[in-house]
Amino acid sequence: MKLHKLTSAQVEKYRRALITFLKRHGDRRITRTGINWLEQADATQLSSAGTLVLCALKEKKLIGLLIVSNYGIDESYIAVHQHYRDKDIAKQIVQYAIHSLGKLYGRVALDNIPSLKVCLANDMVAFHLFTGPTGKLTLWVGGGDWTKEDVLPYS
C-alpha cells in the first residue's frame, strides 16, 4: 500500500470518484455536510494550512481516503474499502496525517467503534463529549500537538 497526498488539481480532477468512494465505503457515517465540503471545496480551500486529502492505493486501486480541513476542526473523515479493513490501513492513514499536519482533530460518534479504535491506536486523546449533528453522543479527539483551546470555540 502507498499513501499519496493529493494536490488541489488532483482533487478537482478526481472529485467525483472520491465522493463515490466515500458514499460506497463510508458506512453512512460521513455527514452530508462533509460530502458537501468535498463537492464545493475550491483550490484555495484545498491548499490551505491544515487541509489534507490523502489516498491509500494498492496497485493503483483506491482502498482508503482521508479528508481533513483546518486540521480536522472543520472537516475530518475517513473511509476504507470493505475488502481492505482490519489491515491497519486506517491506522496508517491517520498516523501519516498526524505526522504530516503536526496535529489532527476529529469528531467520532460513540457508537463508531472502528474509528474510535483507530484514533486510540494513534494515541489520540478524547477530550470533549457533546451531541453531534446526527443526535448521537460524540467525542472530540486530538492527536499530535493538539490543544483543547483550538476546538472548544467550535463545540
Side-chain angles (χ1 to χ4, degrees), residues 32-123:
R32 183 71 229 159
T33 304
I35 297 293
N36 286 346
W37 184 89
L38 184 56
E39 286 175 338
Q40 298 170 6
D42 62 23
T44 301
Q45 290 169 301
L46 292 167
S47 301
S48 65
T51 298
L52 176 66
V53 178
L54 185 64
C55 295
L57 303 171
K58 183 168 183 171
E59 299 170 9
K60 297 186 180 182
K61 178 180 179 175
L62 181 61
I63 62 171
L65 177 62
L66 173 78
I67 309 289
V68 175
S69 171
N70 190 21
Y71 301 96
I73 295 169
D74 295 338
E75 297 296 336
S76 62
Y77 42 92
I78 189 169
V80 174
H81 191 290
Q82 283 98 336
H83 294 121
Y84 293 91
R85 294 187 183 166
D86 296 324
K87 298 180 185 342
D88 282 338
I89 291 168
K91 179 182 175 185
Q92 292 174 55
I93 292 170
V94 170
Q95 184 177 49
Y96 180 97
I98 292 169
H99 178 73
S100 176
L101 297 172
K103 61 183 172 183
L104 181 66
Y105 298 97
R107 291 166 289 212
V108 184
L110 286 182
D111 67 347
N112 190 344
I113 302 303
S115 290
L116 288 171
K117 283 182 177 181
V118 168
C119 293
L120 295 174
N122 278 290
D123 297 326

Side-chain angles (χ1 to χ4, degrees), residues 20-36:
T20 299
F21 183 88
L22 289 169
K23 288 179 177 179
R24 186 171 291 146
H25 300 289
D27 291 344
R28 306 177 95 194
R29 293 196 175 270
I30 298 168
T31 64
R32 183 71 229 159
T33 304
I35 297 293
N36 286 346

Side-chain angles (χ1 to χ4, degrees), residues 120-138:
L120 295 174
N122 278 290
D123 297 326
M124 295 181 83
V125 175
F127 61 89
H128 183 66
L129 179 67
F130 66 103
T131 301
T134 61
K136 296 178 182 179
L137 286 177
T138 301

